[in-house]
Amino acid sequence: MTSTPSGTTGSGTPTGTGNAWAAGGAMFAGVLMIVSGVFGIIEGIVALANDEVYTHLGDYTFKFDLTAWGWIHLIVGILVLVAGAAILKGSEAGRVAGIALTCLYVIVHFMWLPYQPLWSIVAILIGVFVIWALCTDNSRPARH
């Protein structure tokens, strides 16, 4: 009889509630990325279609033309949506891209804070959860 490390099964698959939370969190993170991507696309389209929807700011370090912000949100939204779909398909590349794109998504929404403060804070919190969930998901077997 061979012994296995504590917290794993004979196949090397981790067991325990921590892994279940991370695996479920990764699946939920994929769904959140798809929804956030759609919201980003909508934000981008709105900024491109009508400059009057978002408040005009005075002096702000990251003040871009709203058309530029529209393109930023549109492109990041599409990329986040695609990465979220790849995560739901179980792609390891999608997970890595999801972490990187969600980091970008959080930075964009930090810079977007003066335009939509409440939504930006919510988007940042969602992004932090997504990054955590994707970084802690060990449900896929490690490749040697």
Side-chain angles (χ1 to χ4, degrees):
M1 178 174 213
T2 62
S3 66
T4 59
S6 177
T8 63
T9 63
S11 64
T13 306
T15 61
T17 59
N19 188 51
W21 272 97
M27 179 68 71
F28 186 54
V31 172
L32 284 176
M33 286 181 69
I34 290 172
V35 171
S36 296
V38 169
F39 282 149
I41 292 168
I42 292 169
E43 280 177 327
I45 290 171
V46 168
L48 289 170
N50 187 357
D51 281 353
E52 302 301 317
V53 172
Y54 300 113
T55 355
H56 293 285
L57 303 173
D59 260 351
Y60 177 56
T61 305
F62 303 113
K63 183 179 179 188
F64 298 125
D65 177 55
L66 281 176
T67 303
W69 274 116
W71 283 110
I72 291 168
H73 281 286
L74 184 64
I75 292 167
V76 171
I78 290 169
L79 293 173
V80 167
L81 177 106
V82 170
I87 289 167
L88 291 182
K89 286 187 173 190
S91 167
E92 181 66 22
R95 188 175 74 85
V96 172
I99 293 168
L101 289 170
T102 304
C103 289
L104 178 63
Y105 177 83
V106 167
I107 292 167
V108 165
H109 276 88
F110 175 77
M111 293 169 51
W112 184 246
L113 265 167
Y115 295 92
Q116 285 190 311
L118 182 61
W119 170 244
S120 290
I121 291 170
V122 169
I124 290 168
L125 293 173
I126 289 171
V128 169
F129 170 77
V130 167
I131 293 166
W132 170 84
L134 295 177
C135 287
T136 59
D137 179 22
N138 295 326
S139 63
R140 293 175 186 85
R143 295 183 185 188
H144 298 287

